[in-house]
Amino acid sequence: MLSKEDNQLLTQTDPGTPMGDMFRRYWIPALRSEELAKDGKPQRVKLLGEALVAFRDTEGKVGLIDERCPHRGTSLYYGINAGCGIRCMYHGWKFDTEGNCTEIPSEPTDGKFRQSIKLKNYPVKEVSGIIWTYMGPEEHMPPFPEFYWMGLPEESKLIERVWQECNYAQAMENDLDFVHAAFLHRAHQEQNVQEGILSSDLGIDPDHPLVKNPPVKQAVQDTNYGKRCIAVGIGSEEKNAFMEIHYIFPFYTYPPRFGGEDGMWHAFIPRDDHSTWTWDVQFTHEGTIDVAAQHARRGLVLDEDYKKKINMENEYGQDRELQKTANFTGIRGIANQDHAATETMGAIVDRSRERLGTSDIPIIHMRRLLLTQAKAFRDGKDPMKLDNKSLKTLYSDGLYDDNKKTWQEAFPMKEQFEIRKKVEQ
């Protein structure tokens, strides 16, 4: 469990909070590139408690700016995106992608007054179909993270973002929980899925090592990107299944996968303290990803604001008869199952009331790292730096090996992920 003070530190990410200001020191996925067209409709996007507007100007440049016009506070989302800028519908004030005020037609002259107006804006990069932003001080901007999947062909990836109705921490904790798959995602019968695809929309085949038995034997290793979480399950009479989850500081993960299965990368970006932008990047290491099959197994149906149509209001479509005959939850869609578990905790779960067990070791380690880093950051220290040499080759894998072997023997961490100790001069 956590103290109420530590739970607040973990979950509060608005401007001026230690965790929020620390998160602003990392690159954040904001929108998919395809969401913005030249001189097209702007998009509202809330990040870390800040209401922003994104638009693509006539030249194709992307702007991410304060939603509120500095004149009288009208939303620029309703403005006109044309002529290399966005124009407020109220009095016609116009701003470019860098937040500069370029026109004030409501004033007889606009020289020095116009030049004195600067709208809050954040730098962006478009990489691998995603518009990323950095919201921290310019002098502390880190190198852009080069994740493994970014080097794959576009036809090998499926990218989605969804508005999740809970705090980022409990959404991310779900990803570090090996054992929940053996219950929440378990199908009662063998599932007819294509090669490389983890599950059907009902769940995971009961003979898959993630589901076959709860892999309660776990360990966590410190790395130069965050944490490597290991679990050992029963594969057969002679072999164990060795699995891993990667937690990449501060809000990225690779959930468990086995060799030959399509991979997945997640980002859990606070929209505000009560909701999260959950990013899914599904990828195949070779060939073209099966978009239809991956969409179907995840089960997400979204509206124009990326909110789920299958949600708490309609009880996630739970079918009690299905729960008896087909899967553990009675809910279709792996993502819907996850969201039902985390959203029904409440928007911010009270961790002072938890009773954690040994199966929660990865979650405990993740919280400890986040809190330690946030407290050090609050005291003036720089946050953890990511190692791009590691990120370029990092993804989750899994294998079967002799059950007489320890996990260290069967599934050792690659040397490149180890934390390098500083040599005393």
Side-chain angles (χ1 to χ4, degrees):
M1 66 176 67
L2 293 183
S3 67
K4 288 187 179 294
E5 292 75 18
D6 276 353
N7 199 40
Q8 288 181 341
L9 178 59
L10 180 71
T11 57
Q12 293 179 355
T13 60
D14 282 352
T17 63
M19 196 68 72
D21 287 350
M22 185 176 73
F23 281 2
R24 285 166 170 78
R25 298 280 287 270
Y26 295 85
W27 283 93
I28 293 171
L31 306 97
R32 291 179 300 154
S33 293
E34 64 187 38
E35 294 178 47
L36 299 178
K38 289 182 182 180
D39 289 343
K41 180 182 176 180
Q43 293 290 339
R44 282 178 290 204
V45 57
K46 197 172 188 182
L47 295 171
L48 300 172
E50 298 186 37
L52 306 170
V53 163
F55 68 99
R56 193 183 297 277
D57 74 6
T58 311
E59 297 176 349
K61 296 178 183 177
V62 173
L64 185 64
I65 60 174
D66 194 335
E67 182 182 350
R68 303 298 171 188
C69 178
H71 178 209
R72 299 269 291 280
T74 295
S75 172
L76 291 169
Y77 167 73
Y78 296 94
I80 301 166
N81 178 20
C84 287
I86 189 166
R87 188 183 298 277
C88 181
M89 70 174 182
Y90 200 12
H91 294 92
W93 290 27
K94 187 175 181 179
F95 302 90
D96 65 17
T97 58
E98 296 181 355
N100 300 308
C101 185
T102 58
E103 294 181 27
I104 305 183
S106 61
E107 296 294 316
T109 59
D110 68 0
K112 290 183 178 179
F113 178 52
R114 177 182 59 77
Q115 293 170 14
S116 71
I117 296 167
K118 176 74 173 180
L119 194 62
K120 178 176 68 178
N121 77 296
Y122 291 117
V124 298
K125 284 182 180 288
E126 287 196 73
V127 179
S128 201
I130 296 176
I131 298 167
W132 302 72
T133 187
Y134 172 73
M135 299 173 68
E138 182 179 359
E139 64 272 21
H140 294 299
M141 183 184 290
F144 186 81
E146 299 177 40
F147 294 106
Y148 164 79
W149 54 267
M150 291 175 174
L152 298 173
E154 292 305 304
E155 63 268 20
S156 297
K157 293 174 284 196
L158 169 61
I159 301 172
E160 296 181 291
R161 73 178 175 108
V162 57
W163 178 331
Q164 194 164 348
E165 298 282 2
C166 65
N167 183 264
Y168 85 95
Q170 63 210 61
M172 187 161 67
E173 287 167 355
N174 178 74
D175 245 31
L176 302 184
D177 183 347
F178 279 106
V179 174
H180 85 276
F183 302 95
L184 187 72
H185 299 317
R186 188 177 74 206
H188 292 334
Q189 290 89 33
E190 182 179 348
Q191 298 301 292
N192 182 21
V193 295
Q194 299 176 36
E195 184 178 355
I197 296 177
L198 176 66
S199 72
S200 71
D201 68 331
L202 280 174
I204 303 173
D205 192 310
D207 196 44
H208 191 284
L210 272 172
V211 175
K212 190 172 184 178
N213 67 294
V216 293
K217 187 176 181 180
Q218 298 184 48
V220 177
Q221 293 178 295
D222 295 329
T223 69
N224 55 23
Y225 56 81
K227 300 285 184 178
R228 180 187 185 231
C229 310
I230 303 98
V232 183
I234 297 173
S236 66
E237 289 185 8
E238 296 83 23
K239 292 187 176 182
N240 279 337
F242 298 89
M243 298 164 275
E244 64 183 355
I245 295 170
H246 299 291
Y247 166 53
I248 304 168
F249 193 82
F251 36 54
Y252 314 112
T253 66
Y254 281 103
R257 289 295 187 272
F258 266 76
E261 291 178 345
D262 292 352
M264 175 170 277
W265 173 94
H266 278 148
F268 299 94
I269 309 302
R271 185 178 173 277
D272 52 29
D273 292 347
H274 299 92
S275 59
T276 304
W277 290 118
T278 298
W279 284 83
D280 298 340
V281 177
Q282 299 178 75
F283 56 90
T284 181
H285 300 278
E286 296 180 358
T288 302
I289 196 163
D290 190 327
V291 172
Q294 293 289 6
H295 267 303
R297 78 172 197 87
R298 298 283 290 159
L300 290 172
V301 182
L302 308 179
D303 66 15
E304 62 181 7
D305 295 317
Y306 301 93
K307 298 183 79 171
K308 300 184 298 294
K309 293 182 179 181
I310 302 170
N311 53 43
M312 195 182 299
E313 291 184 0
N314 50 41
E315 298 182 346
Y316 302 94
Q318 187 180 45
D319 182 330
R320 293 291 183 173
E321 187 59 32
L322 194 73
Q323 191 173 28
K324 295 176 183 177
T325 61
N327 70 3
F328 198 81
T329 62
I331 296 169
R332 287 185 176 273
I334 294 287
N336 295 325
Q337 294 163 6
D338 282 327
H339 290 208
T342 55
E343 291 175 348
T344 56
M345 296 175 182
I348 302 178
V349 68
D350 182 357
R351 291 173 177 79
S352 69
R353 301 177 61 185
E354 290 178 326
R355 301 293 297 275
L356 301 184
T358 56
S359 64
D360 300 304
I361 287 173
I363 294 165
I364 294 168
H365 275 259
M366 178 272 286
R367 292 179 186 174
R368 188 179 297 156
L369 179 57
L370 269 172
L371 289 169
T372 299
Q373 287 283 321
K375 290 173 183 178
F377 180 77
R378 184 178 59 191
D379 294 338
K381 296 183 179 179
D382 287 333
M384 179 177 179
K385 291 180 172 60
L386 300 180
D387 187 319
N388 261 336
K389 289 183 180 179
S390 292
L391 298 187
K392 286 180 180 180
T393 61
L394 183 68
Y395 58 85
S396 284
D397 206 352
L399 55 85
Y400 296 98
D401 206 342
D402 191 332
N403 58 18
K404 294 182 179 62
K405 289 184 178 180
T406 65
W407 66 263
Q408 293 95 331
E409 294 170 327
F411 203 29
M413 181 168 66
K414 295 178 181 177
E415 185 178 349
Q416 71 189 82
F417 302 142
E418 294 177 359
I419 296 174
R420 305 296 181 190
K421 294 182 179 179
K422 294 182 180 179
V423 178
E424 296 287 342
Q425 297 294 324

